[in-house]
Every structure is written in structure tokens, then in C-alpha cells.
Amino acid sequence: MYKQELTVIVQSIIASNTVDEHVKSAKELSDFYSKISSVEHSVSNETLVKGGIALSSSGAADCVDDYLRTVFFIKGIYKALIKLCIDFPERSINILYAGCGPYATLILPLLPLFDKNRIKALLLDINAASIASVQHLLVVSGLDEYQLQLIETDATTYTKPNDFTIDLAISETMHYALTSEPQVAITQNIVSQLPPHGILIPEEITIDLAYTFFDHEPALKNAKQEVKGHKQMQPYPHNVFVDRLFTINKELFSSIIYNSKIESKFYDLPANFENHPDICIFTEIKIFDNIELKTAESYITNPYCVVSLYSINDYSGIQLMYDFSEIPKWSYSLKN
């Protein structure tokens, strides 16, 4: 019964086209999880790893209620799986899902749409409670016949088995502006184990620098009540785009990152900044192909203010630094 109900829900997610449809279908998925989940989600089992803070099982469970994030990631992963099934029609598709949380939200709902022999997956999470929760959900929903291996591990250091070639790598373990959570450290570890044909989800995370008025930029504060698509939002009209600082993708980790730190060049500070007094980071996410999360469509694409220009005196330039060696954070240095 539950497998059939989940199939209907995920089909409605894939078919959804408007913000109202996205919200309706994502809420149905959230309600479904609440109904069949029996494992208590702890708020106290956050874990510090080298590269960020892994959410508690309760915090990870709450992510399903970031409605557009849930819908767009499921849509993008479905599209990637269809491509891989076409490219490799004679074998199973190997999935590595790093940071699956207690619901395995980005892969479990899609399983009924694929034959059990077509999907083989490793589901990683550092919290034992999350692993136990996913195991329960698989049994209750009748999906335990799929070739899934649940592994309690740190995804920033995990090494896949030699006989497992990753076709699709998934990790959504991020906070706005890539702060706090270990998305980048996990991605760096996974990409090093990804073959040339392997698809990374999200495909790209772009990080842009702008001078703006932070309080006037759109930001998502309550995903259950105020969800809007980017076409419905009014960006701050005096926003001054400065530069694209970097893009997290497969190629980045084979080129410029060696020491868990990314530094920008120096940028000139504006002499007159009355209309744009804040130095801010903007994040957009290309999940796969044309499936994208734009600014403030999700908690993870909210703008982030690094510093106010009013607090900077007698300096002509600024350099931004992103450090994910421990807890990911932004800092800056100034040039006279």
C-alpha cells in the first residue's frame, strides 16, 4: 500500500510545473514520511567532521520541508537516472548518496519508478539514528527488495569499494553560502572517486560576490508559508554584481583546490555605497541539466552578508576567502 502511495506522490513531484504544484506535492511527501516514520529523530546528535557540521537526524529530517529544494533535487536526480539508464541499458546504475539523512529523501521516493535490478546504491550517513530510520522506511514501504547498502560513516573520508563504479553521486549537505555544513569537503572526497562518465548532483554550485543592501534582498525565512519561485521575487534593484568567485563542480577539484581554501583576487571598494552598503555572497545551484535553484528559492540559496562597507575605513580593496578545512566560513582581508 505504501509503495503505491509513494509512487503517486513522486509522480506528482516529477509532473509539477508551478510553484503551487511543487509545494503541494512536496507537502504530500513530507506528510507521507511523518506518517510512516517511527524512529525518534534526535536534535542533539550533530557531528563535527573535518569540513563542517553534519546535521542532527532531526535537522536532516526537517530539510524535506524546504519544499522547492526537495522537488527540484528529486526532479534533477530523476532526469539524471533516466539519462544513465539510456546510456547503460544492460546493467544496474550505481548510486552513491552521501548524507542521506533519516528519510533518504532524494533517492528513496524514486525507487518505485525503476526496476529493482536497475538500481544499486550505497547510502551513507554519519548518524546511526538516520541509518536506522532509512532501514525502517525501506521495510515499511516495501522497498527493502532493492539493492541498497546503508553505511554509517563519515562521507568526507569514505572510500568506495573497488568493485563499485559510481555512476551517480549525490550529496546535499549544505547551508547558505556553503557555510557550516560539509558539502564542499564531501564533494571533494566523492569527486576523487568519480569516473569520467559519473554524474555529480548537484552538478554545479555557483558562488557570486555582489555589493548590495542585504536587508532588501529576497530571502526565504519560512519554507512552509512563503515559498516563491525566482520569477515572483523582486531582487534589490541597486545590487552591483562584482564577480563569480568560484563554481563547485567535478572540474574544480581537479584543478585549483589543494588546501581546503579558496581565495579571490582583490576587488576595488566603491567610493559611494549608499545604495549598496553590504558585501554579500549569492548562491545558485544547477542540480542537473536545466533543473536549478535560484537565489532565495530555498534556505540553501539565501544571500549571505560577509561585512558592511560602513565598517571598513581607509581601504581601497577587499579579498574574500572561503575556508572549509574545519567548519566552512568566509573571511576577508583589506588592501590600503
Side-chain angles (χ1 to χ4, degrees), residues 74-130:
I74 288 175
K75 280 175 169 282
I77 291 166
Y78 176 72
K79 198 167 188 177
L81 282 171
I82 292 298
K83 179 184 186 305
L84 287 165
C85 285
I86 293 170
D87 290 347
F88 303 100
E90 304 299 328
R91 65 168 176 85
S92 63
I93 305 304
N94 294 332
I95 303 167
L96 178 70
Y97 183 1
C100 64
Y103 292 158
T105 306
L106 305 184
I107 199 67
L108 190 150
L110 289 166
L111 293 177
L113 304 184
F114 296 88
D115 185 273
K116 64 181 181 181
N117 296 316
R118 289 291 271 148
I119 300 293
K120 185 181 292 184
L122 304 177
L123 276 58
L124 317 181
D125 204 276
I126 201 165
N127 282 318
S130 289

Short mmCIF file of all heavy atoms in Angstrom, two decimals, residues 74-130:
data_model
loop_
_atom_site.label_atom_id
_atom_site.label_comp_id
_atom_site.label_asym_id
_atom_site.label_seq_id
_atom_site.Cartn_x
_atom_site.Cartn_y
_atom_site.Cartn_z
N ILE A 74 14.75 16.16 -6.46
CA ILE A 74 14.15 14.90 -6.94
C ILE A 74 13.97 14.93 -8.45
O ILE A 74 14.27 13.95 -9.15
CB ILE A 74 12.81 14.63 -6.21
CG1 ILE A 74 13.09 14.23 -4.75
CG2 ILE A 74 12.01 13.53 -6.92
CD1 ILE A 74 11.85 14.05 -3.90
N LYS A 75 13.51 16.05 -8.99
CA LYS A 75 13.37 16.19 -10.44
C LYS A 75 14.72 16.02 -11.15
O LYS A 75 14.83 15.31 -12.17
CB LYS A 75 12.79 17.57 -10.80
CG LYS A 75 11.28 17.71 -10.65
CD LYS A 75 10.91 19.16 -10.92
CE LYS A 75 9.41 19.36 -11.05
NZ LYS A 75 8.89 18.93 -12.37
N GLY A 76 15.75 16.68 -10.62
CA GLY A 76 17.06 16.61 -11.25
C GLY A 76 17.65 15.21 -11.20
O GLY A 76 18.23 14.73 -12.19
N ILE A 77 17.50 14.53 -10.06
CA ILE A 77 18.04 13.18 -9.92
C ILE A 77 17.28 12.21 -10.82
O ILE A 77 17.89 11.31 -11.44
CB ILE A 77 18.01 12.75 -8.44
CG1 ILE A 77 19.04 13.58 -7.66
CG2 ILE A 77 18.29 11.26 -8.29
CD1 ILE A 77 18.88 13.51 -6.16
N TYR A 78 15.98 12.38 -10.92
CA TYR A 78 15.19 11.52 -11.83
C TYR A 78 15.70 11.69 -13.27
O TYR A 78 15.90 10.69 -13.98
CB TYR A 78 13.72 11.89 -11.74
CG TYR A 78 12.84 11.13 -12.71
CD1 TYR A 78 12.58 9.78 -12.53
CD2 TYR A 78 12.28 11.77 -13.81
CE1 TYR A 78 11.77 9.07 -13.42
CE2 TYR A 78 11.48 11.08 -14.70
CZ TYR A 78 11.23 9.73 -14.51
OH TYR A 78 10.43 9.03 -15.40
N LYS A 79 15.93 12.93 -13.67
CA LYS A 79 16.41 13.20 -15.03
C LYS A 79 17.79 12.57 -15.26
O LYS A 79 18.06 12.00 -16.33
CB LYS A 79 16.46 14.72 -15.24
CG LYS A 79 16.51 15.16 -16.68
CD LYS A 79 16.24 16.66 -16.80
CE LYS A 79 16.09 17.06 -18.25
NZ LYS A 79 15.77 18.49 -18.41
N ALA A 80 18.65 12.65 -14.25
CA ALA A 80 19.99 12.04 -14.36
C ALA A 80 19.89 10.52 -14.45
O ALA A 80 20.62 9.88 -15.23
CB ALA A 80 20.84 12.46 -13.17
N LEU A 81 19.01 9.93 -13.66
CA LEU A 81 18.84 8.47 -13.69
C LEU A 81 18.31 7.99 -15.04
O LEU A 81 18.75 6.96 -15.56
CB LEU A 81 17.90 8.02 -12.57
CG LEU A 81 18.52 7.96 -11.17
CD1 LEU A 81 17.44 7.72 -10.12
CD2 LEU A 81 19.58 6.87 -11.10
N ILE A 82 17.38 8.74 -15.61
CA ILE A 82 16.86 8.38 -16.94
C ILE A 82 17.98 8.40 -17.97
O ILE A 82 18.10 7.50 -18.81
CB ILE A 82 15.72 9.33 -17.35
CG1 ILE A 82 14.48 9.12 -16.46
CG2 ILE A 82 15.35 9.13 -18.81
CD1 ILE A 82 13.86 7.74 -16.55
N LYS A 83 18.82 9.43 -17.90
CA LYS A 83 19.95 9.51 -18.83
C LYS A 83 20.88 8.31 -18.66
O LYS A 83 21.31 7.69 -19.65
CB LYS A 83 20.73 10.81 -18.61
CG LYS A 83 21.94 10.96 -19.53
CD LYS A 83 22.75 12.19 -19.24
CE LYS A 83 23.86 12.39 -20.28
NZ LYS A 83 24.76 11.22 -20.42
N LEU A 84 21.20 7.97 -17.42
CA LEU A 84 22.11 6.85 -17.17
C LEU A 84 21.50 5.52 -17.61
O LEU A 84 22.21 4.65 -18.13
CB LEU A 84 22.48 6.81 -15.68
CG LEU A 84 23.42 7.91 -15.22
CD1 LEU A 84 23.44 8.01 -13.70
CD2 LEU A 84 24.84 7.67 -15.76
N CYS A 85 20.21 5.36 -17.42
CA CYS A 85 19.55 4.13 -17.87
C CYS A 85 19.60 3.99 -19.39
O CYS A 85 19.72 2.88 -19.92
CB CYS A 85 18.10 4.10 -17.38
SG CYS A 85 17.92 3.74 -15.62
N ILE A 86 19.53 5.10 -20.08
CA ILE A 86 19.65 5.08 -21.54
C ILE A 86 21.09 4.80 -21.96
O ILE A 86 21.35 4.01 -22.88
CB ILE A 86 19.16 6.42 -22.14
CG1 ILE A 86 17.65 6.58 -21.92
CG2 ILE A 86 19.49 6.51 -23.63
CD1 ILE A 86 17.12 7.96 -22.25
N ASP A 87 22.03 5.43 -21.26
CA ASP A 87 23.45 5.26 -21.61
C ASP A 87 23.95 3.85 -21.30
O ASP A 87 24.85 3.34 -21.99
CB ASP A 87 24.30 6.27 -20.85
CG ASP A 87 24.09 7.70 -21.33
OD1 ASP A 87 23.49 7.88 -22.40
OD2 ASP A 87 24.53 8.64 -20.62
N PHE A 88 23.40 3.23 -20.25
CA PHE A 88 23.86 1.90 -19.82
C PHE A 88 22.66 0.96 -19.67
O PHE A 88 22.24 0.62 -18.56
CB PHE A 88 24.62 2.02 -18.50
CG PHE A 88 25.80 2.95 -18.54
CD1 PHE A 88 25.71 4.24 -18.03
CD2 PHE A 88 27.00 2.54 -19.12
CE1 PHE A 88 26.78 5.11 -18.09
CE2 PHE A 88 28.09 3.40 -19.18
CZ PHE A 88 27.98 4.70 -18.67
N PRO A 89 22.09 0.54 -20.80
CA PRO A 89 20.84 -0.24 -20.76
C PRO A 89 21.00 -1.66 -20.26
O PRO A 89 20.01 -2.30 -19.90
CB PRO A 89 20.39 -0.22 -22.23
CG PRO A 89 21.65 -0.07 -23.02
CD PRO A 89 22.54 0.80 -22.19
N GLU A 90 22.22 -2.17 -20.21
CA GLU A 90 22.42 -3.58 -19.91
C GLU A 90 22.83 -3.87 -18.47
O GLU A 90 23.05 -5.03 -18.11
CB GLU A 90 23.48 -4.17 -20.86
CG GLU A 90 23.17 -3.99 -22.34
CD GLU A 90 21.88 -4.67 -22.76
OE1 GLU A 90 21.54 -5.72 -22.17
OE2 GLU A 90 21.20 -4.15 -23.66
N ARG A 91 22.96 -2.83 -17.65
CA ARG A 91 23.44 -3.08 -16.28
C ARG A 91 22.75 -2.17 -15.28
O ARG A 91 22.03 -1.24 -15.65
CB ARG A 91 24.96 -2.88 -16.21
CG ARG A 91 25.44 -1.45 -16.47
CD ARG A 91 26.90 -1.32 -16.09
NE ARG A 91 27.49 -0.02 -16.37
CZ ARG A 91 27.41 1.03 -15.56
NH1 ARG A 91 26.69 0.96 -14.45
NH2 ARG A 91 28.02 2.16 -15.88
N SER A 92 23.01 -2.43 -14.01
CA SER A 92 22.45 -1.58 -12.95
C SER A 92 23.17 -0.25 -12.91
O SER A 92 24.32 -0.13 -13.35
CB SER A 92 22.54 -2.28 -11.60
OG SER A 92 23.89 -2.50 -11.25
N ILE A 93 22.49 0.76 -12.36
CA ILE A 93 23.07 2.09 -12.18
C ILE A 93 23.54 2.20 -10.74
O ILE A 93 22.76 1.99 -9.79
CB ILE A 93 22.03 3.19 -12.49
CG1 ILE A 93 21.44 3.00 -13.90
CG2 ILE A 93 22.65 4.56 -12.33
CD1 ILE A 93 22.46 2.96 -15.01
N ASN A 94 24.82 2.52 -10.57
CA ASN A 94 25.42 2.58 -9.24
C ASN A 94 25.34 4.00 -8.68
O ASN A 94 25.88 4.94 -9.28
CB ASN A 94 26.88 2.14 -9.29
CG ASN A 94 27.02 0.67 -9.64
OD1 ASN A 94 26.13 -0.12 -9.37
ND2 ASN A 94 28.15 0.31 -10.24
N ILE A 95 24.71 4.13 -7.51
CA ILE A 95 24.49 5.43 -6.89
C ILE A 95 25.22 5.50 -5.55
O ILE A 95 25.13 4.57 -4.74
CB ILE A 95 22.98 5.68 -6.65
CG1 ILE A 95 22.19 5.58 -7.96
CG2 ILE A 95 22.75 7.03 -5.99
CD1 ILE A 95 20.69 5.50 -7.75
N LEU A 96 25.93 6.59 -5.32
CA LEU A 96 26.48 6.89 -4.01
C LEU A 96 25.75 8.12 -3.48
O LEU A 96 25.81 9.18 -4.10
CB LEU A 96 27.98 7.17 -4.09
CG LEU A 96 28.65 7.53 -2.76
CD1 LEU A 96 28.71 6.32 -1.84
CD2 LEU A 96 30.05 8.09 -2.98
N TYR A 97 25.05 7.97 -2.36
CA TYR A 97 24.28 9.05 -1.77
C TYR A 97 24.91 9.38 -0.42
O TYR A 97 24.77 8.64 0.54
CB TYR A 97 22.83 8.59 -1.62
CG TYR A 97 21.83 9.60 -1.09
CD1 TYR A 97 22.19 10.90 -0.76
CD2 TYR A 97 20.50 9.24 -0.91
CE1 TYR A 97 21.26 11.81 -0.29
CE2 TYR A 97 19.56 10.12 -0.43
CZ TYR A 97 19.94 11.41 -0.12
OH TYR A 97 19.01 12.31 0.37
N ALA A 98 25.62 10.49 -0.36
CA ALA A 98 26.38 10.87 0.83
C ALA A 98 25.58 11.85 1.68
O ALA A 98 25.24 12.94 1.21
CB ALA A 98 27.71 11.49 0.43
N GLY A 99 25.28 11.46 2.90
CA GLY A 99 24.46 12.29 3.78
C GLY A 99 22.98 12.08 3.50
O GLY A 99 22.25 13.03 3.22
N CYS A 100 22.53 10.83 3.59
CA CYS A 100 21.15 10.50 3.19
C CYS A 100 20.12 10.95 4.22
O CYS A 100 18.93 11.06 3.90
CB CYS A 100 21.01 9.00 2.94
SG CYS A 100 21.27 7.96 4.40
N GLY A 101 20.57 11.23 5.48
CA GLY A 101 19.61 11.64 6.50
C GLY A 101 18.65 10.52 6.86
O GLY A 101 18.78 9.39 6.39
N PRO A 102 17.66 10.81 7.68
CA PRO A 102 16.74 9.77 8.16
C PRO A 102 15.67 9.36 7.15
O PRO A 102 14.97 8.37 7.37
CB PRO A 102 16.10 10.41 9.39
CG PRO A 102 16.12 11.87 9.08
CD PRO A 102 17.40 12.12 8.33
N TYR A 103 15.54 10.13 6.05
CA TYR A 103 14.49 9.83 5.07
C TYR A 103 15.02 9.41 3.71
O TYR A 103 14.25 8.98 2.85
CB TYR A 103 13.60 11.07 4.86
CG TYR A 103 12.76 11.46 6.04
CD1 TYR A 103 12.28 12.77 6.16
CD2 TYR A 103 12.41 10.55 7.04
CE1 TYR A 103 11.49 13.16 7.24
CE2 TYR A 103 11.63 10.93 8.13
CZ TYR A 103 11.17 12.23 8.21
OH TYR A 103 10.39 12.62 9.28
N ALA A 104 16.32 9.56 3.47
CA ALA A 104 16.89 9.32 2.13
C ALA A 104 16.01 9.99 1.07
O ALA A 104 15.67 9.41 0.04
CB ALA A 104 17.04 7.82 1.86
N THR A 105 15.67 11.25 1.35
CA THR A 105 14.64 11.96 0.59
C THR A 105 14.91 12.05 -0.90
O THR A 105 13.98 12.07 -1.71
CB THR A 105 14.51 13.40 1.16
OG1 THR A 105 14.27 13.32 2.56
CG2 THR A 105 13.37 14.15 0.49
N LEU A 106 16.17 12.08 -1.30
CA LEU A 106 16.48 12.35 -2.70
C LEU A 106 16.57 11.10 -3.56
O LEU A 106 16.71 11.22 -4.78
CB LEU A 106 17.79 13.13 -2.79
CG LEU A 106 17.84 14.43 -1.97
CD1 LEU A 106 19.14 15.18 -2.22
CD2 LEU A 106 16.64 15.32 -2.27
N ILE A 107 16.45 9.91 -2.95
CA ILE A 107 16.51 8.69 -3.76
C ILE A 107 15.39 7.72 -3.43
O ILE A 107 14.84 7.07 -4.32
CB ILE A 107 17.90 8.01 -3.66
CG1 ILE A 107 18.11 7.04 -4.82
CG2 ILE A 107 18.10 7.33 -2.33
CD1 ILE A 107 18.22 7.70 -6.17
N LEU A 108 15.02 7.60 -2.15
CA LEU A 108 14.01 6.60 -1.76
C LEU A 108 12.68 6.78 -2.52
O LEU A 108 12.12 5.80 -3.01
CB LEU A 108 13.80 6.65 -0.25
CG LEU A 108 12.95 5.53 0.37
CD1 LEU A 108 13.41 5.25 1.80
CD2 LEU A 108 11.46 5.91 0.41
N PRO A 109 12.15 8.02 -2.65
CA PRO A 109 10.87 8.16 -3.36
C PRO A 109 10.93 7.75 -4.83
O PRO A 109 9.91 7.37 -5.42
CB PRO A 109 10.56 9.65 -3.24
CG PRO A 109 11.34 10.11 -2.06
CD PRO A 109 12.60 9.30 -2.10
N LEU A 110 12.13 7.80 -5.43
CA LEU A 110 12.27 7.49 -6.85
C LEU A 110 12.36 5.99 -7.13
O LEU A 110 12.16 5.56 -8.27
CB LEU A 110 13.51 8.19 -7.42
CG LEU A 110 13.41 9.71 -7.57
CD1 LEU A 110 14.78 10.32 -7.81
CD2 LEU A 110 12.46 10.07 -8.71
N LEU A 111 12.66 5.20 -6.11
CA LEU A 111 12.89 3.77 -6.32
C LEU A 111 11.72 3.06 -7.02
O LEU A 111 11.95 2.25 -7.92
CB LEU A 111 13.22 3.08 -4.99
CG LEU A 111 14.54 3.49 -4.34
CD1 LEU A 111 14.69 2.78 -2.99
CD2 LEU A 111 15.72 3.15 -5.23
N PRO A 112 10.45 3.33 -6.64
CA PRO A 112 9.35 2.60 -7.29
C PRO A 112 9.25 2.82 -8.80
O PRO A 112 8.58 2.05 -9.49
CB PRO A 112 8.10 3.14 -6.58
CG PRO A 112 8.58 3.70 -5.29
CD PRO A 112 9.96 4.22 -5.57
N LEU A 113 9.91 3.87 -9.30
CA LEU A 113 9.85 4.17 -10.74
C LEU A 113 10.86 3.37 -11.55
O LEU A 113 10.86 3.45 -12.78
CB LEU A 113 10.08 5.67 -10.97
CG LEU A 113 9.13 6.62 -10.23
CD1 LEU A 113 9.44 8.06 -10.62
CD2 LEU A 113 7.67 6.28 -10.50
N PHE A 114 11.70 2.59 -10.86
CA PHE A 114 12.75 1.82 -11.54
C PHE A 114 12.70 0.37 -11.09
O PHE A 114 12.39 0.07 -9.93
CB PHE A 114 14.13 2.42 -11.23
CG PHE A 114 14.33 3.81 -11.75
CD1 PHE A 114 13.97 4.91 -10.98
CD2 PHE A 114 14.83 4.03 -13.02
CE1 PHE A 114 14.13 6.19 -11.45
CE2 PHE A 114 15.00 5.31 -13.51
CZ PHE A 114 14.64 6.40 -12.73
N ASP A 115 13.02 -0.52 -11.99
CA ASP A 115 13.09 -1.94 -11.66
C ASP A 115 14.16 -2.15 -10.59
O ASP A 115 15.21 -1.52 -10.61
CB ASP A 115 13.43 -2.74 -12.92
CG ASP A 115 13.41 -4.24 -12.67
OD1 ASP A 115 14.45 -4.77 -12.23
OD2 ASP A 115 12.36 -4.86 -12.88
N LYS A 116 13.89 -3.07 -9.69
CA LYS A 116 14.81 -3.30 -8.56
C LYS A 116 16.19 -3.76 -9.02
O LYS A 116 17.18 -3.59 -8.29
CB LYS A 116 14.22 -4.32 -7.59
CG LYS A 116 14.03 -5.71 -8.17
CD LYS A 116 13.42 -6.64 -7.14
CE LYS A 116 13.24 -8.05 -7.70
NZ LYS A 116 12.62 -8.98 -6.73
N ASN A 117 16.28 -4.33 -10.21
CA ASN A 117 17.57 -4.78 -10.72
C ASN A 117 18.36 -3.67 -11.42
O ASN A 117 19.50 -3.89 -11.83
CB ASN A 117 17.37 -5.95 -11.67
CG ASN A 117 16.78 -7.16 -10.97
OD1 ASN A 117 17.22 -7.52 -9.89
ND2 ASN A 117 15.78 -7.79 -11.59
N ARG A 118 17.73 -2.50 -11.58
CA ARG A 118 18.39 -1.41 -12.29
C ARG A 118 19.10 -0.44 -11.36
O ARG A 118 19.89 0.40 -11.80
CB ARG A 118 17.35 -0.63 -13.13
CG ARG A 118 16.84 -1.38 -14.32
CD ARG A 118 17.92 -1.54 -15.38
NE ARG A 118 17.95 -0.42 -16.31
CZ ARG A 118 19.03 0.04 -16.91
NH1 ARG A 118 20.21 -0.50 -16.65
NH2 ARG A 118 18.96 1.03 -17.77
N ILE A 119 18.81 -0.54 -10.07
CA ILE A 119 19.36 0.41 -9.11
C ILE A 119 20.20 -0.33 -8.08
O ILE A 119 19.73 -1.28 -7.44
CB ILE A 119 18.24 1.20 -8.39
CG1 ILE A 119 17.40 1.99 -9.40
CG2 ILE A 119 18.83 2.11 -7.33
CD1 ILE A 119 18.12 3.11 -10.09
N LYS A 120 21.43 0.14 -7.90
CA LYS A 120 22.29 -0.36 -6.82
C LYS A 120 22.87 0.88 -6.13
O LYS A 120 23.43 1.75 -6.79
CB LYS A 120 23.41 -1.23 -7.38
CG LYS A 120 24.28 -1.89 -6.31
CD LYS A 120 25.38 -2.73 -6.94
CE LYS A 120 24.81 -3.94 -7.66
NZ LYS A 120 25.89 -4.83 -8.19
N ALA A 121 22.68 0.98 -4.82
CA ALA A 121 23.05 2.23 -4.15
C ALA A 121 23.74 2.00 -2.81
O ALA A 121 23.40 1.06 -2.07
CB ALA A 121 21.82 3.10 -3.95
N LEU A 122 24.70 2.87 -2.54
CA LEU A 122 25.32 2.98 -1.21
C LEU A 122 24.79 4.26 -0.58
O LEU A 122 24.96 5.35 -1.13
CB LEU A 122 26.83 3.06 -1.34
CG LEU A 122 27.54 1.93 -2.10
CD1 LEU A 122 29.04 2.21 -2.18
CD2 LEU A 122 27.28 0.59 -1.44
N LEU A 123 24.14 4.14 0.57
CA LEU A 123 23.57 5.28 1.28
C LEU A 123 24.40 5.52 2.54
O LEU A 123 24.47 4.66 3.42
CB LEU A 123 22.10 5.03 1.65
CG LEU A 123 21.05 5.32 0.57
CD1 LEU A 123 21.30 4.53 -0.70
CD2 LEU A 123 19.65 5.02 1.09
N LEU A 124 25.03 6.69 2.60
CA LEU A 124 25.94 7.00 3.70
C LEU A 124 25.33 8.03 4.63
O LEU A 124 24.72 9.01 4.19
CB LEU A 124 27.26 7.57 3.16
CG LEU A 124 27.92 6.93 1.94
CD1 LEU A 124 29.22 7.66 1.62
CD2 LEU A 124 28.17 5.45 2.17
N ASP A 125 25.52 7.84 5.93
CA ASP A 125 25.21 8.88 6.90
C ASP A 125 26.03 8.64 8.16
O ASP A 125 26.28 7.49 8.53
CB ASP A 125 23.73 8.94 7.24
CG ASP A 125 23.33 10.32 7.75
OD1 ASP A 125 23.51 10.60 8.95
OD2 ASP A 125 22.87 11.15 6.92
N ILE A 126 26.41 9.74 8.80
CA ILE A 126 27.26 9.62 9.99
C ILE A 126 26.46 9.31 11.25
O ILE A 126 27.00 8.86 12.24
CB ILE A 126 28.09 10.91 10.17
CG1 ILE A 126 29.32 10.64 11.05
CG2 ILE A 126 27.22 12.05 10.71
CD1 ILE A 126 30.36 11.74 10.99
N ASN A 127 25.13 9.54 11.19
CA ASN A 127 24.28 9.31 12.35
C ASN A 127 23.64 7.93 12.30
O ASN A 127 22.91 7.60 11.36
CB ASN A 127 23.18 10.38 12.43
CG ASN A 127 23.68 11.70 12.98
OD1 ASN A 127 24.45 11.71 13.94
ND2 ASN A 127 23.28 12.79 12.36
N ALA A 128 23.86 7.14 13.35
CA ALA A 128 23.27 5.81 13.42
C ALA A 128 21.75 5.88 13.41
O ALA A 128 21.08 5.03 12.83
CB ALA A 128 23.75 5.11 14.69
N ALA A 129 21.18 6.94 14.02
CA ALA A 129 19.73 7.09 14.06
C ALA A 129 19.16 7.28 12.66
O ALA A 129 18.07 6.77 12.34
CB ALA A 129 19.35 8.27 14.95
N SER A 130 19.88 7.99 11.82
CA SER A 130 19.41 8.19 10.44
C SER A 130 19.45 6.89 9.65
O SER A 130 18.52 6.58 8.89
CB SER A 130 20.26 9.26 9.74
OG SER A 130 19.99 10.54 10.27
#
